[in-house]
Amino acid sequence: MTGPERDTPGGVPGVSGGVHPAWLPPSAMRAVGRRRVQVHGDGPLVATVRAEVARARADHGGDGDGPPDLVLALAPAQPPDGFTVSRAAGVTTVAAGDGAGLLYGLFHVARLGEAAFGAPFPPRVHRPAYERRMVQHWDNVDVHPVMGQVERGYAGGSLFWHDGALRADLSRAAAYARLLASVGVNAVSVNNVNVHATEALLLTDRLGDVVTLADVLRPYGIRVHLSVSFAAPARDLGTADPLDPRVTAWWALATDRVYEAIPDFGGYVVKADSEGQPGPFAYGRSHADGANALAAALAPHGGVVHWRAFVYNHRQDWRDRGTDRARAAYDHFAPLDGQFLDNVVLQVKHGPVDFQVREPVSPVIAAMPGTRVAVELQATQEYTGQQRHVCHLGPMWREVLGFAPWGADGPAVAGVADGLVAVSNAGDDPFWTGHPLAQANLYAFGRLTWDPHLDPVAVLDEWIDLTFAPDTTADPALLRGTLHAVMDDSWRTYERYTAPLGVGFMVRPGDHYGPDVDGYEYTPWGTYHFADRDGVGVDRSTATGTGFAGQYPPAWSRVYGSPAECPDELLLFFHHVPYGHVLHDGTTVIQHIYDTHFAGAQEAERMRQRWAQLPAGLVDPAVAGRVAERLDEQVRSAREWRDQINTYFHRKSGVPDAHGRRIH
Amino acid sequence: MTGPERDTPGGVPGVSGGVHPAWLPPSAMRAVGRRRVQVHGDGPLVATVRAEVARARADHGGDGDGPPDLVLALAPAQPPDGFTVSRAAGVTTVAAGDGAGLLYGLFHVARLGEAAFGAPFPPRVHRPAYERRMVQHWDNVDVHPVMGQVERGYAGGSLFWHDGALRADLSRAAAYARLLASVGVNAVSVNNVNVHATEALLLTDRLGDVVTLADVLRPYGIRVHLSVSFAAPARDLGTADPLDPRVTAWWALATDRVYEAIPDFGGYVVKADSEGQPGPFAYGRSHADGANALAAALAPHGGVVHWRAFVYNHRQDWRDRGTDRARAAYDHFAPLDGQFLDNVVLQVKHGPVDFQVREPVSPVIAAMPGTRVAVELQATQEYTGQQRHVCHLGPMWREVLGFAPWGADGPAVAGVADGLVAVSNAGDDPFWTGHPLAQANLYAFGRLTWDPHLDPVAVLDEWIDLTFAPDTTADPALLRGTLHAVMDDSWRTYERYTAPLGVGFMVRPGDHYGPDVDGYEYTPWGTYHFADRDGVGVDRSTATGTGFAGQYPPAWSRVYGSPAECPDELLLFFHHVPYGHVLHDGTTVIQHIYDTHFAGAQEAERMRQRWAQLPAGLVDPAVAGRVAERLDEQVRSAREWRDQINTYFHRKSGVPDAHGRRIH
């Protein structure tokens, strides 16, 4: 179940180096490569732009001398990382204030394709919504005995590390940087937030490894960040007390050394007092004390600390109904608002529990107006099918980013957040992400960091055009239609056949893949559904429950707190209701469970059928084969979910299915 | 969780070599060692007797020259392995037909202690009930990635193997042989029945390791057996078809080589077509074909094959109610009765499923009159507390051996069986068995192989006398009383707080330790309880169920088949009944569940309390401390079982506890 090679059964036939090009095959740069291009400016990222242009022209035989079709130029008065694109007099012009902006502008032109070279259009300014657009890798340097090389990784080994050492060949890491840059990502943390013994040494003894990675990622405008152990100073000092001057001096010295080696180092990522990781609580200090100690060391260099808000009691007694894990992040962090230094970024998981297929948006995001907050998303599909199931997450992320915590008149999460972070789903698998269609999640994440208002269907269209070049195939409409049919609604399909109505978990403990309805019910993890013969769900209301609903501003506090008003899809997250409770659509909870589970499994079958109907040749046979294999597994697994969930609730409730379908 | 060192936190203070002497401390041989002893006869085992006597006399300063108090002599007309003991004219005499009998006679005298040297008594003939009295080790040569060095081992590493190799220092193995011989065991299989790649080589490339072990065990009359892979010939021949003459020739040649190296080699142990192990089914052959192929190779040398009947479909669909794992061994083997060669021993687990704390006796034992059957017991406490809980198994085994399959007028299992086998609970733990009190299970097993009619309480008394020498302590009655109070009823206590009324399982998948009521409910393992809101249990009746009850002779088939007549403790093994079903003692099933779980956890607390009240000095402090630690864990775990089981059934049934106790 673990080990770096599990998802790498060999390279991709017919593809250079056996590695699939993801959304940057040569065809993706065809419109650029066919043109006469001029690049104006200097600097390392401008050099990267020139190299990209040269590569594209080599691939596509762009016209030789003559007046340019495309001009890419550094120019004053452009937003950081941004660019302005226009077309006039037969010339398309990209103007950027810095090399990164020019690179993003080039990839923007690639996405536009021939449309960039058609009718004239006036200058359009593009700028990223967030200064920091980050991917975090839960990669271990050593193979961890339980978690393997990549914690919660479903795409082979790490792109950076192999078996205790930095990879000798980092060409995949370089290609990965190019993919990330093409969607606007500009920061990568290169090791697991769970910092084990070997990984703790990256900050000190093995800093050279980080230097090498920074060198590989830098040409694509990506800064390296490092996950560090809060306890790191204790090895030398016997303490990591953040208020001890020796400790702050230790961090200052260690950080100075990092910046000496890597002047554009991004900063630290810290998981403290969380699931066994050390933290400030051990010294009776607050998380503000803890985060500020590291931030103070980083501030002189322009670095930031990403401090995770994922703090809860993972040794809860399941008998204790008073403790609610969902409350924990708010209870710990909201009182600290305003106490963090300006270069602390509080990194908050999008939901209050842990990346379930359906959770409300974390109330912490709206509770920290005096704190910089980054929203953490999980591209790696830990709880959403582990890259064996198609589960296109763009629509879920768009919902999260569009959620308005203060009600329709207030700002949305996208406007409140200071940054977006995703846990990467990429590894050394030949398709990068295990499931070839999971590439689209990494793509969508990048694009949303640039513009969180993008329509996920449009983003998927971009990805399809770049990846599959449908217009070069025999049947573009069929190819596009099939991909949309398989992917667009796949998140909701996955939701339908797994844990119902927002109640979450019901997965096998440990690996988190298949169903196990009571798997976490009597454990210390704080993830319960409380199903009994009469009803199911967690009462998190203020009136009668744990009070979690009261952590939201009034508009949502009221809605979530009321079983009548609570959105159906979150009903069991917020309320314990009888099986006969009638949902807004008129069905009972128990009938809804049966209906959605039959429907979800059937949709998985339809996805497989739809894919099988793709004529040979429309898609690279290696991709087609890998997707087909995984759809087989998805169908099998979806049936298993359907049958276990339905049987469990039928046995418990005794209510027969209104349509008389087979429940075991 | 795995690894050889988990239970070896250092040696036992004050004990030679840091290893506890188990039931053979010097005091155990005091009555012998104080006497003038003559040993008559020759041969290797007589030499062992002489060495034992010399050692005892050295320890206890036995009287010098003069007429003997004890004569041990080879003599004609004694049963194999047996002996006659008598006392007359101030001399105790042990007469045996062979060296093994003389050795057993010596240890018999040790057990008698001073009583052997008191009033005269007429000759008493002792002979073992079974020719072969066997302990099997599920020890791996290589550390297995999941199972560690010892599969289902709770007592540290293997006594034989360490990290891929035979141990260089086999002094523990020699001491172990002495312990086994002292209770009559005369056969040991030295590797896991799951034969992995390295272990498969013991038969051929690494036979030298087996030779060495045989040399270590031989002085105590113990023959070595080897677990082999049925597929072994396939490495050379590409097939293991038992009817292929090349295959039978391969086994003949391999076996000849084994006997050339180890003339007293015992034979093979085979787990075939079971849980992924290869077997005759792959070639369309029966298990008789398979077993006979190996038996034919062994027959010329006097060896036997232990062929395990533990064959079932471990990839069952949980939705399939028609398949019943309990039926499998009978269905596979009963039709083959009479087809096995005489040196095939069909090794049958005592229950039809898998070593649960309560199962009926396997119907296979009574179904094979034309086949030699050995009953397999599990001294290693896989499902009975893993040597963290006190669970004295003597009473359970006695019940199994006393069960009369044809009804009270017919023979009991003890009389039907041809041999007893136990999976060993010993390892390189300084106390041999992890929990010091678990030594008594190994002791009791050995004694039952000699005489299956022994009273378990009397056997425990023997063990207490040998191990703790209570008469040399300040308060013999308190020490004996405490040990009996903690151990006598411990099996039934464990039964009370775990899965109720014979339904079995409800353990955490994988490690099989703590509770997880639905842990196996939706898995392929065939171990289900079918609890729903109305009732619980498996209908194995002939009338309405799987028909398993019909595999017994009529007396029990009728009893087990009827919910009214079925013994309470097996009710849910044989029937699915409503929670309101009234047991023979007048309580309902649901109230029985609550009552026994509250009672069982309370009994665990009383055991701990009783142990804590032992005054310092009555027991070796290292033993006292280890037992106290484990009782703490037992109390914790028993409460967890109580609460999970009670909560599960309360949520499902909705029936309140009649006594209003706290259920979560």
Side-chain angles (χ1 to χ4, degrees):
Chain A
M1 301 242 306
T2 57
E5 300 308 318
R6 60 188 157 175
D7 271 327
T8 52
V12 180
V15 168
S16 151
V19 177
H20 187 264
W23 55 83
L24 290 181
S27 60
M29 302 297 283
R30 197 164 64 105
V32 171
R34 292 176 55 207
R35 295 300 182 308
R36 287 186 300 271
V37 187
Q38 287 181 359
V39 181
H40 300 290
D42 289 308
L45 270 74
V46 179
T48 301
V49 171
R50 283 204 174 84
E52 283 289 336
V53 167
R55 175 177 175 171
R57 285 167 54 88
D59 281 342
H60 298 287
D63 293 341
D65 294 337
D69 305 307
L70 172 63
V71 174
L72 299 135
L74 290 188
Q78 300 291 332
D81 288 3
F83 58 89
T84 300
V85 59
S86 58
R87 180 162 178 83
V91 180
T92 301
T93 304
V94 174
D98 50 38
L102 210 61
L103 186 62
Y104 299 139
L106 172 68
F107 285 119
H108 176 79
V109 171
R111 276 192 297 274
L112 290 176
E114 290 301 325
F117 302 97
F121 53 86
R124 294 173 190 153
V125 181
H126 296 263
R127 71 186 77 194
Y130 306 108
E131 179 188 344
R132 203 165 295 95
R133 307 172 297 276
M134 188 169 191
V135 163
Q136 295 186 348
H137 279 256
W138 289 357
D139 295 11
N140 298 311
V141 176
D142 270 333
V143 174
H144 186 272
V146 176
M147 290 300 173
Q149 189 94 52
V150 180
E151 180 163 332
R152 307 302 177 189
Y154 313 103
S158 167
L159 293 163
F160 309 138
W161 313 102
H162 184 69
D163 232 352
L166 189 68
R167 283 186 177 277
D169 176 0
L170 286 165
S171 56
R172 288 289 300 269
Y176 180 59
R178 180 173 178 249
L179 287 169
L180 293 180
S182 76
V183 291
V185 169
N186 69 347
V188 168
S189 67
V190 297
N191 63 306
N192 191 353
V193 288
N194 290 314
V195 181
H196 308 294
T198 300
E199 293 74 15
L201 300 178
L202 291 175
L203 175 63
T204 51
D205 310 45
R206 292 182 64 167
L207 187 56
D209 289 353
V210 189
V211 171
T212 304
L213 280 177
D215 291 344
V216 169
L217 302 178
R218 187 176 294 112
Y220 284 94
I222 293 172
R223 293 169 89 174
V224 159
H225 296 240
L226 200 60
S227 293
V228 298
S229 167
F230 184 79
R235 191 166 63 123
D236 296 331
L237 306 176
T239 179
D241 180 351
L243 298 193
D244 185 321
R246 293 172 304 155
V247 171
T248 48
W250 189 98
W251 280 112
L253 184 63
T255 306
D256 290 349
R257 285 189 184 138
V258 172
Y259 278 91
E260 210 168 290
I262 311 169
D264 60 350
F265 179 72
Y268 299 137
V269 179
V270 185
K271 176 178 181 177
D273 288 318
S274 173
E275 298 183 337
Q277 291 292 309
F281 287 162
Y283 304 96
R285 310 302 183 189
S286 77
H287 276 249
D289 296 331
N292 290 344
L294 278 68
L298 288 158
H301 307 284
V304 296
V305 57
H306 281 80
W307 190 268
R308 293 179 91 224
F310 185 55
V311 177
Y312 71 99
N313 176 10
H314 71 292
R315 292 183 178 163
Q316 181 174 342
D317 190 329
W318 59 267
R319 302 164 189 83
D320 164 20
R321 293 261 188 141
T323 300
D324 179 6
R325 171 171 168 179
R327 289 188 60 111
Y330 182 102
D331 286 343
H332 283 300
F333 286 94
L336 302 178
D337 187 40
Q339 298 180 29
F340 292 97
L341 291 179
D342 194 47
N343 64 328
V344 173
V345 179
L346 187 68
Q347 182 171 320
V348 182
K349 290 196 186 202
H350 68 81
V353 181
D354 195 10
F355 296 139
Q356 299 304 290
V357 69
R358 175 72 69 174
E359 294 188 40
V361 166
S362 169
V364 176
I365 296 167
M368 311 284 291
T371 306
R372 298 170 71 182
V373 167
V375 177
E376 180 180 326
L377 307 169
Q378 195 184 42
T380 194
Q381 292 171 234
E382 177 177 1
Y383 294 102
T384 51
Q386 305 200 347
Q387 286 140 253
R388 300 190 224 174
H389 296 228
V390 182
C391 186
H392 183 53
L393 295 167
M396 181 218 261
W397 295 338
R398 185 65 201 82
E399 273 195 25
V400 168
L401 295 166
F403 177 76
W406 292 272
D409 297 337
V413 165
V416 176
D418 274 285
L420 296 185
V421 166
V423 185
S424 178
N425 62 352
D428 76 347
D429 171 71
F431 294 97
W432 296 93
T433 51
H435 202 307
L437 304 187
Q439 293 172 2
N441 285 328
L442 193 58
Y443 184 92
F445 168 73
R447 297 288 291 131
L448 289 170
T449 66
W450 189 276
D451 181 357
H453 305 289
L454 289 172
D455 167 19
V457 175
V459 171
L460 192 59
D461 266 329
E462 286 178 14
W463 176 78
I464 290 170
D465 281 339
L466 290 169
T467 306
F468 295 93
D471 291 343
T472 68
T473 69
D475 194 338
L478 179 61
L479 177 53
R480 276 203 191 86
T482 300
L483 286 160
H484 279 290
V486 169
M487 297 175 75
D488 280 351
D489 206 37
S490 56
W491 163 52
R492 289 191 179 82
T493 294
Y494 190 83
E495 180 183 24
R496 281 182 197 107
Y497 59 72
T498 55
L501 295 164
V503 77
F505 280 83
M506 303 192 171
V507 289
R508 286 245 159 233
D511 80 349
H512 297 172
Y513 181 62
D516 186 347
V517 180
D518 271 1
Y520 276 102
E521 192 60 13
Y522 302 95
T523 72
W525 292 96
T527 49
Y528 314 119
H529 56 65
F530 301 123
D532 61 21
R533 74 195 322 255
D534 302 314
V536 57
V538 189
D539 185 353
R540 292 187 163 112
S541 70
T542 310
T544 57
T546 69
F548 168 75
Q551 293 184 340
Y552 289 87
W556 283 106
S557 178
R558 189 180 48 76
V559 168
Y560 288 150
S562 151
E565 289 187 66
C566 184
D568 287 347
E569 71 267 17
L570 288 170
L571 182 66
L572 302 184
F573 191 93
F574 282 104
H575 299 281
H576 187 93
V577 299
Y579 293 116
H581 176 97
V582 177
L583 297 170
H584 294 111
D585 70 0
T587 58
T588 60
V589 164
I590 188 71
Q591 190 58 41
H592 172 91
I593 291 174
Y594 299 152
D595 288 348
T596 50
H597 284 78
F598 282 112
Q602 203 170 19
E603 284 155 18
E605 286 170 34
R606 275 200 297 265
M607 288 157 69
R608 174 169 71 172
Q609 194 177 16
R610 188 75 196 245
W611 188 259
Q613 286 164 352
L614 261 188
L618 271 196
V619 170
D620 175 342
V623 172
R626 174 73 78 96
V627 172
E629 272 170 38
R630 303 224 161 189
L631 283 166
D632 285 347
E633 165 57 16
Q634 181 167 2
V635 166
R636 184 207 65 76
S637 176
R639 287 178 188 160
E640 188 63 27
W641 274 99
R642 174 194 69 194
D643 290 343
Q644 285 201 31
I645 298 268
N646 283 346
T647 301
Y648 180 94
F649 283 105
H650 182 259
R651 286 191 190 176
K652 222 151 197 167
S653 72
V655 180
D657 172 37
H659 307 296
R661 289 163 294 193
R662 178 132 195 236
I663 296 177
H664 299 271
Chain B
M1 301 243 308
T2 58
E5 300 309 318
R6 60 188 156 176
D7 272 325
T8 53
V12 181
V15 168
S16 150
V19 176
H20 186 265
W23 56 84
L24 290 181
S27 60
M29 303 298 283
R30 197 164 63 103
V32 171
R34 292 176 55 207
R35 295 297 181 311
R36 287 186 299 273
V37 188
Q38 287 181 359
V39 180
H40 300 289
D42 289 307
L45 269 72
V46 179
T48 301
V49 171
R50 284 205 174 84
E52 283 290 335
V53 168
R55 175 177 176 171
R57 286 168 53 89
D59 282 343
H60 299 287
D63 294 342
D65 294 337
D69 306 305
L70 173 61
V71 175
L72 299 135
L74 290 188
Q78 300 291 332
D81 288 2
F83 58 89
T84 301
V85 60
S86 58
R87 182 161 175 84
V91 180
T92 301
T93 304
V94 174
D98 50 38
L102 209 61
L103 186 62
Y104 299 138
L106 171 67
F107 286 118
H108 177 77
V109 171
R111 274 191 298 274
L112 291 176
E114 289 302 324
F117 302 98
F121 54 86
R124 295 173 191 153
V125 180
H126 296 262
R127 71 185 75 193
Y130 307 107
E131 178 188 345
R132 201 165 296 95
R133 308 172 296 278
M134 189 171 191
V135 162
Q136 295 186 349
H137 279 257
W138 288 356
D139 295 11
N140 298 311
V141 176
D142 270 334
V143 175
H144 187 272
V146 175
M147 291 300 173
Q149 190 95 53
V150 180
E151 180 163 333
R152 306 302 178 188
Y154 314 102
S158 168
L159 292 163
F160 309 137
W161 314 101
H162 184 69
D163 230 352
L166 189 67
R167 281 186 179 277
D169 176 359
L170 287 166
S171 56
R172 288 290 299 269
Y176 180 59
R178 180 174 178 248
L179 288 168
L180 293 180
S182 76
V183 290
V185 169
N186 70 347
V188 168
S189 68
V190 297
N191 64 307
N192 191 355
V193 288
N194 289 315
V195 182
H196 308 295
T198 300
E199 293 74 15
L201 300 178
L202 291 175
L203 175 63
T204 50
D205 310 45
R206 292 181 63 167
L207 187 57
D209 290 353
V210 188
V211 171
T212 303
L213 280 176
D215 290 345
V216 169
L217 302 179
R218 187 177 295 111
Y220 285 93
I222 293 172
R223 294 168 88 173
V224 158
H225 295 239
L226 200 60
S227 292
V228 297
S229 167
F230 183 80
R235 193 166 62 123
D236 296 329
L237 306 176
T239 179
D241 180 350
L243 298 193
D244 185 322
R246 293 172 304 156
V247 170
T248 48
W250 189 98
W251 281 111
L253 183 63
T255 306
D256 290 350
R257 285 189 183 139
V258 172
Y259 277 92
E260 209 168 291
I262 311 168
D264 60 350
F265 180 72
Y268 299 138
V269 179
V270 185
K271 176 178 180 178
D273 289 319
S274 174
E275 298 183 338
Q277 293 291 309
F281 287 162
Y283 305 96
R285 309 302 183 189
S286 78
H287 275 249
D289 295 332
N292 290 344
L294 277 68
L298 289 158
H301 307 284
V304 296
V305 56
H306 282 80
W307 191 268
R308 294 179 90 226
F310 185 56
V311 177
Y312 70 100
N313 176 12
H314 71 292
R315 293 184 177 161
Q316 180 175 342
D317 190 329
W318 59 267
R319 303 166 189 82
D320 165 20
R321 294 262 188 138
T323 299
D324 179 5
R325 172 170 166 179
R327 288 187 59 112
Y330 182 102
D331 287 342
H332 284 301
F333 287 94
L336 302 177
D337 186 40
Q339 299 181 27
F340 292 97
L341 291 180
D342 194 47
N343 65 328
V344 173
V345 179
L346 189 67
Q347 181 172 319
V348 181
K349 290 197 185 201
H350 68 82
V353 181
D354 196 9
F355 296 137
Q356 300 303 290
V357 69
R358 176 72 70 176
E359 294 189 39
V361 166
S362 170
V364 175
I365 297 168
M368 312 283 291
T371 307
R372 297 170 70 183
V373 168
V375 176
E376 181 181 325
L377 307 170
Q378 195 184 42
T380 193
Q381 293 171 231
E382 177 177 2
Y383 294 101
T384 51
Q386 304 199 347
Q387 287 139 254
R388 300 190 222 173
H389 296 229
V390 182
C391 186
H392 184 53
L393 295 167
M396 181 217 260
W397 295 337
R398 185 64 201 83
E399 275 196 21
V400 168
L401 295 167
F403 177 76
W406 293 271
D409 297 338
V413 165
V416 176
D418 275 283
L420 297 184
V421 167
V423 185
S424 178
N425 61 352
D428 75 347
D429 171 70
F431 295 97
W432 296 95
T433 51
H435 202 307
L437 304 186
Q439 292 172 2
N441 284 327
L442 193 57
Y443 185 91
F445 168 73
R447 296 288 290 131
L448 289 171
T449 66
W450 188 276
D451 180 358
H453 304 291
L454 289 172
D455 168 19
V457 175
V459 172
L460 192 59
D461 267 328
E462 287 178 13
W463 176 78
I464 291 170
D465 281 338
L466 291 168
T467 305
F468 295 93
D471 291 344
T472 68
T473 70
D475 194 340
L478 179 60
L479 178 52
R480 276 204 191 86
T482 300
L483 285 161
H484 278 290
V486 169
M487 297 175 75
D488 280 352
D489 206 37
S490 56
W491 163 52
R492 288 191 179 82
T493 295
Y494 190 83
E495 179 183 24
R496 282 183 196 107
Y497 58 73
T498 55
L501 294 165
V503 76
F505 279 83
M506 303 193 169
V507 290
R508 287 245 158 233
D511 79 350
H512 297 172
Y513 181 62
D516 186 346
V517 181
D518 272 0
Y520 277 101
E521 192 60 14
Y522 303 95
T523 72
W525 293 96
T527 50
Y528 314 119
H529 54 66
F530 301 123
D532 61 21
R533 73 195 323 254
D534 302 315
V536 56
V538 189
D539 185 353
R540 292 187 163 113
S541 70
T542 310
T544 56
T546 69
F548 168 75
Q551 293 184 338
Y552 289 87
W556 284 106
S557 178
R558 188 181 47 77
V559 169
Y560 288 150
S562 151
E565 289 187 67
C566 185
D568 287 348
E569 70 268 16
L570 287 170
L571 181 66
L572 302 184
F573 191 93
F574 282 104
H575 300 281
H576 187 94
V577 300
Y579 293 115
H581 177 97
V582 178
L583 298 170
H584 294 109
D585 69 1
T587 58
T588 60
V589 164
I590 188 70
Q591 190 58 41
H592 172 91
I593 291 174
Y594 300 151
D595 289 348
T596 50
H597 284 78
F598 282 112
Q602 205 170 18
E603 284 154 18
E605 285 170 33
R606 276 200 297 266
M607 288 157 68
R608 175 168 70 173
Q609 196 176 15
R610 189 75 195 244
W611 188 259
Q613 286 165 353
L614 261 188
L618 271 195
V619 169
D620 175 342
V623 172
R626 174 74 76 97
V627 172
E629 273 170 37
R630 303 223 162 189
L631 283 167
D632 285 346
E633 165 56 15
Q634 182 168 2
V635 167
R636 185 207 64 75
S637 176
R639 287 179 187 159
E640 189 64 27
W641 275 99
R642 174 195 68 194
D643 291 342
Q644 284 201 31
I645 298 268
N646 282 346
T647 302
Y648 180 95
F649 283 105
H650 182 258
R651 286 190 189 175
K652 221 150 198 169
S653 71
V655 180
D657 173 37
H659 307 296
R661 289 163 293 193
R662 178 133 196 238
I663 296 177
H664 299 271

